[in-house]
Amino acid sequence: MAKQMVTAAVLTAPRTIKLEQFEKPRVNPENALVRVEACGLCGTDAEQYIGAIKSLNIQYPIIPGHEVVGIIEKIGKKAAERWGVKIGDRVVVDSLIPCRHCDNCTVGQFNLCSGWNKTMMGYSYVSCEVSPHLWGGYATHMYLHPNSLVRKIDKTVAAEKAVLFNALGGAIHWTYELPKLKYGDRVLVIAAGLRGVMCCMVAKAMGASQVILAGIQLDEQRLRKGLELGADHSIIVDKEDLVQRIRELTDGKGVDIVIDLSPHATESVIQALEVIAKNGTIVLLGLKNNAEIKGFVSDKLIMKACTIIGGHGVSYTAFKRAISMIEAGSLPLDKLRTKVFPLDEAHLAMATLAKEIKDDEVNSIVIMPALRG
Ligand SMILES: [Zn+2]
Ligand SMILES: [Zn+2]
């Protein structure tokens, strides 16, 4: 019998991606193989593409992609029992592959897993030189490691909506779970990418009284989209004085929660400390490439009795909540502008995400391997 092959887009070095064939792996009782229907892209994909953020410790060559929805094509008996799924079921796969034994995993905080031999394990993080090679979602098929977190998702949900589980899970974790958002809170979200817009949506749905989305002029269309999806006001940070505008919009009171998703720029951390209200919470998410924060005055933190939280990944509870909300269909996800790419245009998908190809309006980028370019 001829060998069955899997096609994958492999990132061999920054900005270098090519299609490669891999032998379709057999499964053992513990693992599975999923046929990828769609794979969403997030900021990490852009960082892997550019090779910019040192702390991500990227091990090229990799098959990128860690926001996967697909159909179970092969599954071992024990894996089927463990995940409660069978061949033909539609699933979403959490990006993490937790060790399940470290202190954080044992209390269910998989997103804080200490890692395997101190290395973080997750889809798109393991080099495709490691057998069985299919560790990423930019492929016709992805391997499901026994430690994967797999959940069924309704087959009637459109694939481009189903892949939003990771972005929405993040928004739920960072907007609601970490800062413990309360009814009537004022919320500032910095950066207007997909996650920023999703945070606005969640903040509004959770009862925030005022949601403000701040972003750069390049993201003007996306800021406008934020206003459609839950933000009450938008601020263009390179045109307006963010601190001044927040004071005006909040009657000088400031905001109860700041969610800073902006990558690289450190100015936003200083601004967050200026606009946070007493007892407020700042959640930092955008990696600053290990940069020091110039002008950080810790006394302000004390005098305002506020909290700064480093957000890391998506909790399992948020992952579950996101799937439930996507299935419920009550969020205005239809309003997002999605751009779908076939597998052989993965480089275009990544370049668009990294803003090296101009598309001012796109909110969500998805790769669908079954499409032909
Ligand atoms: Zn991601
Ligand atoms: Zn662990």
Side-chain angles (χ1 to χ4, degrees):
M1 201 173 80
K3 278 182 189 164
Q4 286 192 309
M5 303 304 280
V6 169
T7 306
V10 178
L11 188 64
T12 54
R15 295 187 178 83
T16 312
I17 194 156
K18 56 183 180 192
L19 287 188
E20 281 185 31
Q21 302 273 314
F22 295 88
E23 198 175 324
K24 196 180 268 188
R26 292 162 188 264
V27 298
N28 69 28
E30 297 280 357
N31 57 31
L33 188 73
V34 67
R35 176 166 55 76
V36 179
E37 249 185 282
C39 179
L41 275 70
C42 81
T44 304
D45 298 61
E47 300 300 349
Q48 289 176 327
Y49 182 66
I50 299 165
I53 299 247
K54 292 185 204 93
S55 41
L56 285 175
N57 190 23
I58 305 160
Q59 310 282 335
Y60 301 109
I62 54 165
I63 301 171
H66 53 264
E67 302 183 356
V68 168
V69 56
I71 305 291
I72 297 285
E73 187 171 295
K74 298 183 193 181
I75 189 162
K77 190 168 179 291
K78 284 187 185 159
E81 283 168 11
R82 181 191 312 124
W83 295 323
V85 299
K86 57 184 187 308
I87 288 174
D89 278 350
R90 191 192 210 193
V91 294
V92 292
V93 185
D94 194 304
S95 60
L96 306 161
I97 309 173
C99 78
R100 293 183 182 259
H101 297 289
C102 72
D103 287 350
N104 294 320
C105 279
T106 48
V107 293
Q109 292 182 329
F110 301 125
N111 55 316
L112 304 180
C113 174
S114 304
W116 305 59
N117 301 324
K118 304 230 159 41
T119 311
M120 190 185 132
M121 278 276 271
Y123 290 102
S124 84
Y125 287 91
V126 181
S127 167
C128 64
E129 283 173 349
V130 177
S131 176
H133 316 295
L134 306 175
W135 298 98
Y138 292 14
T140 55
H141 296 76
M142 189 172 83
Y143 166 66
L144 294 185
H145 185 280
N147 286 26
S148 302
L149 304 168
V150 175
R151 289 187 77 87
K152 265 197 241 185
I153 189 162
D154 196 311
K155 281 188 175 165
T156 61
V157 177
E160 60 268 32
K161 266 190 215 161
V163 292
L164 293 169
F165 71 89
N166 203 32
L168 181 59
I172 292 168
H173 187 51
W174 311 326
T175 310
Y176 164 63
E177 291 184 341
L178 287 178
K180 301 184 174 64
L181 188 147
K182 289 179 280 304
Y183 200 68
D185 276 353
R186 294 188 174 90
V187 179
L188 166 66
V189 178
I190 305 176
L194 176 61
R195 269 130 184 96
V197 171
M198 296 291 249
C199 285
C200 292
M201 194 191 295
V202 170
K204 203 61 178 180
M206 294 306 301
S209 61
Q210 209 174 16
V211 180
I212 304 162
L213 178 61
I216 51 176
Q217 188 154 19
L218 204 66
D219 283 338
E220 208 168 351
Q221 303 278 2
R222 297 185 182 94
L223 287 166
R224 227 169 275 151
K225 184 60 76 179
L227 293 172
E228 270 179 60
L229 286 156
D232 301 294
H233 309 278
S234 65
I235 300 174
I236 300 175
V237 293
D238 32 10
K239 231 166 89 179
E240 300 172 275
D241 181 336
L242 180 126
V243 175
Q244 185 57 34
R245 283 275 285 139
I246 296 287
R247 285 195 184 124
E248 286 163 15
L249 291 168
T250 62
D251 241 345
K253 294 186 181 74
V255 291
D256 304 293
I257 295 170
V258 177
I259 299 157
D260 177 20
L261 293 150
S262 63
H264 304 284
T266 55
E267 178 68 13
S268 54
V269 180
I270 302 298
Q271 290 169 328
L273 206 49
E274 286 299 322
V275 301
I276 195 75
K278 283 190 176 174
N279 260 323
T281 303
I282 299 168
V283 187
L284 298 181
L285 290 140
L287 286 172
K288 314 296 190 190
N289 210 6
N290 288 327
E292 288 178 16
I293 308 288
K294 287 201 184 70
F296 183 85
V297 179
S298 58
D299 288 2
K300 289 185 183 170
L301 194 68
I302 298 167
M303 298 315 286
K304 289 185 170 186
C306 64
T307 307
I308 298 184
I309 300 178
H312 182 77
V314 181
S315 68
Y316 188 70
T317 47
F319 173 59
K320 269 194 331 190
R321 289 179 211 271
I323 296 165
S324 301
M325 289 306 290
I326 289 169
E327 287 182 326
S330 52
L331 291 172
L333 301 173
D334 279 331
K335 291 185 179 168
L336 291 169
R337 187 168 170 269
T338 302
K339 200 158 182 181
V340 178
F341 291 88
L343 195 55
D344 56 2
E345 289 180 4
H347 59 292
L348 299 180
M350 290 186 114
T352 305
L353 180 77
K355 295 184 178 165
E356 293 180 352
I357 293 176
K358 196 169 147 55
D359 187 332
D360 293 342
E361 284 180 32
V362 68
N363 302 113
S364 174
I365 298 174
V366 176
I367 289 178
M368 290 197 184
L371 285 182
R372 291 277 163 252

